[in-house]
């Protein structure tokens, strides 16, 4: 008798011989959808239908009467263990389980998988993942960035409140990882990787170099030095550098044109600056652009 255990308040025995499981943990990580592990469904405030989460709702309505849920507007949920519809709260009013180990009463958000490190950013107005200690909110860019980027990135106003320039999905609340380029513009990590795989190394928005191209520039130097242009093509051209935004007068070469200011080959042909005197260079139609 001394080894017996009787369920106390807030506990339930899962089965004969099984350990006592706290009532709040019953069904944890056993329910949910492809997006979240949770023990409730939401009642969509827009159409009154029940869905596993707002993403499931948005996916289901994408091909018909397209409309999306504002997460803060959700007022009712349905417990998946006892099927009770109720106002938004963390604990079911009927069976007493935690409908989400992580719960945000601002976003009306539930998730049992707390290894994601969820936290609510009041400046963003939504919940983020990755651990609050690992992120800071950049007021100018309008989003949370990794602490490694604090005082170490180019700020672009509301850079995250834009669509990905590759897939056009809205970045601010996307479930996919995001990369901040050196120029400050943003895009999905997987879209960036796919872009690089197709030998595109510049920002789709501003055309600045998105990777460290030092080694590649050195190879171009060697190739240009080894490739002598015929006398008829030995003339000067004006180029605009996409990286430093300065113009240079350089020797024309079919392989590429190197910026005389920052040594980048990410340049494009341009006309001679109007404030400079001297003979004009040949038509830019005779020279090639070297856009990465």
């Amino acid at each position: 008798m001394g080894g017996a255990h009787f369920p106390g308040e807030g506990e339930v025995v899962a089965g004969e011989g099984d350990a006592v499981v706290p009532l709040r943990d019953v069904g944890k990580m056993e329910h949910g959808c492809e997006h979240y592990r949770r023990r409730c469904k939401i009642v969509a405030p827009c159409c009154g239908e029940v869905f596993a989460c707002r993403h499931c709702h948005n996916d289901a309505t994408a091909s018909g009467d397209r409309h999306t849920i504002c997460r803060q507007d959700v007022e009712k949920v349905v417990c998946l263990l006892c099927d009770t519809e109720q106002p938004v709260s963390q604990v079911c009013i009927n069976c007493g389980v935690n409908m989400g180990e992580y719960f945000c009463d601002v976003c009306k958000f539930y998730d049992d998988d707390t290894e994601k490190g969820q936290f609510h950013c009041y400046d963003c107005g939504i919940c983020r993942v990755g651990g609050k200690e690992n992120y800071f909110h950049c007021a100018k860019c309008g989003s949370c960035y990794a602490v490694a980027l604090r005082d170490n990135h180019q700020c672009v106003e509301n850079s995250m409140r834009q669509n990905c320039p590759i897939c056009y999905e809205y970045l601010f609340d996307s479930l996919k990882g995001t990369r901040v380029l050196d120029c400050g513009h943003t895009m999905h990590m997987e879209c960036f990787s796919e872009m690089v795989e197709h030998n595109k190394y510049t920002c789709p928005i501003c055309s600045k170099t998105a990777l460290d191209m030092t080694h590649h520039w050195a190879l171009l130097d060697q190739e240009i030095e080894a490739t002598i242009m015929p006398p008829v093509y030995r003339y000067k051209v004006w180029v605009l550098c996409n990286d430093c935004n300065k113009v240079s007068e350089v020797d024309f070469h079919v392989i590429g044109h190197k910026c005389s200011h920052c040594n980048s080959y990410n340049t494009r042909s341009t006309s001679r600056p109007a404030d400079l005197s001297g003979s004009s260079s040949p038509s830019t139609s005779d020279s090639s652009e070297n856009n990465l």
Side-chain angles (χ1 to χ4, degrees), residues 154 156 159 162-166 168 171 179-188 191-193 195-196 199-213 217 241-243 245 264 266-268 290-292:
Q154 182 69 38
V156 174
S159 62
Q162 311 290 337
N163 294 333
C164 173
I166 301 298
Y168 300 106
L171 289 169
R179 183 184 178 104
V180 182
L181 306 183
D182 290 344
C183 59
H185 293 118
T186 52
M187 61 193 302
H188 287 131
C191 292
F192 177 81
S193 297
M195 183 182 76
V196 172
N199 301 317
K200 301 295 182 182
Y201 307 121
T202 60
C203 172
I205 299 174
C206 68
S207 297
K208 292 187 182 298
T209 303
L211 290 172
D212 182 1
M213 301 294 288
W217 295 162
C241 179
N242 291 322
D243 289 334
N245 294 323
S264 169
N266 181 16
T267 60
R268 64 180 70 193
N290 184 27
N291 293 323
L292 296 179

Side-chain angles (χ1 to χ4, degrees), residues 35-37 109 111 113-118 128-131:
H35 305 107
Y36 307 113
R37 297 281 88 193
F109 177 67
D111 199 348
D113 187 5
T114 55
E115 291 186 2
K116 297 176 182 177
Q118 302 93 330
R128 300 287 189 189
V129 297

Side-chain angles (χ1 to χ4, degrees), residues 86 148 170 177 197 232 240 256 268 273:
Q86 57 197 284
Y170 191 55
E197 288 175 3
V232 68
L240 171 65
R268 64 180 70 193

Side-chain angles (χ1 to χ4, degrees), residues 33-110:
C33 60
E34 61 178 299
H35 305 107
Y36 307 113
R37 297 281 88 193
R38 53 173 58 168
R39 285 162 279 177
C40 68
K41 291 185 177 182
I42 62 171
V43 179
C46 46
C47 56
E49 298 293 330
V50 177
F51 292 90
C53 72
R54 66 185 182 88
H55 297 291
C56 290
H57 166 275
N58 296 343
D59 291 343
T61 61
S63 59
D65 178 21
R66 183 174 180 82
H67 61 282
T68 59
I69 288 180
C70 174
R71 69 191 80 197
Q72 290 86 356
D73 290 344
V74 174
E75 296 180 348
K76 293 183 178 181
V77 296
V78 177
C79 176
L80 289 175
L81 274 69
C82 67
D83 202 32
T84 301
E85 183 175 318
Q86 57 197 284
V88 170
S89 65
Q90 183 172 19
V91 179
C92 175
I93 60 174
N94 182 51
C95 67
V97 301
N98 270 1
M99 292 183 284
E101 187 68 17
Y102 173 84
F103 170 70
C104 175
D105 60 355
V106 176
C107 295
K108 317 297 172 54
F109 177 67
Y110 302 78

Side-chain angles (χ1 to χ4, degrees), residues 93-268:
I93 60 174
N94 182 51
C95 67
V97 301
N98 270 1
M99 292 183 284
E101 187 68 17
Y102 173 84
F103 170 70
C104 175
D105 60 355
V106 176
C107 295
K108 317 297 172 54
F109 177 67
Y110 302 78
D111 199 348
D112 275 338
D113 187 5
T114 55
E115 291 186 2
K116 297 176 182 177
Q118 302 93 330
F119 66 96
H120 182 84
C121 175
Y122 286 92
D123 291 315
C124 285
I126 62 175
C127 289
R128 300 287 189 189
V129 297
K132 187 175 182 178
E133 69 281 3
N134 298 318
Y135 290 85
F136 75 100
H137 183 86
C138 178
K140 185 171 183 179
C141 295
S143 187
C144 288
Y145 283 172
V147 293
L149 293 176
R150 189 191 296 273
D151 301 322
N152 189 34
H153 72 284
Q154 182 69 38
C155 284
V156 174
E157 190 169 359
N158 291 325
S159 62
M160 283 290 291
R161 297 177 185 267
Q162 311 290 337
N163 294 333
C164 173
I166 301 298
C167 69
Y168 300 106
E169 179 184 341
Y170 191 55
L171 289 169
F172 182 71
D173 57 0
S174 173
L175 295 179
K176 302 174 184 176
T178 304
R179 183 184 178 104
V180 182
L181 306 183
D182 290 344
C183 59
H185 293 118
T186 52
M187 61 193 302
H188 287 131
M189 287 182 180
E190 60 183 42
C191 292
F192 177 81
S193 297
E194 185 174 350
M195 183 182 76
V196 172
E197 288 175 3
H198 286 80
N199 301 317
K200 301 295 182 182
Y201 307 121
T202 60
C203 172
I205 299 174
C206 68
S207 297
K208 292 187 182 298
T209 303
L211 290 172
D212 182 1
M213 301 294 288
T214 304
H215 178 67
H216 185 65
W217 295 162
L219 293 178
L220 287 179
D221 284 339
Q222 297 173 17
E223 188 173 356
I224 288 175
E225 185 177 358
T227 307
I228 307 301
M229 295 297 292
V232 68
Y233 291 114
R234 295 176 189 173
Y235 53 78
K236 299 284 188 178
V237 294
W238 286 94
V239 294
L240 171 65
C241 179
N242 291 322
D243 289 334
C244 70
N245 294 323
K246 295 181 179 179
V247 294
S248 306
E249 188 179 25
V250 300
D251 292 327
F252 170 76
H253 202 286
V254 69
I255 292 177
H257 302 127
K258 183 178 183 177
C259 173
S260 60
H261 301 282
C262 70
N263 298 324
S264 169
Y265 277 97
N266 181 16
T267 60
R268 64 180 70 193

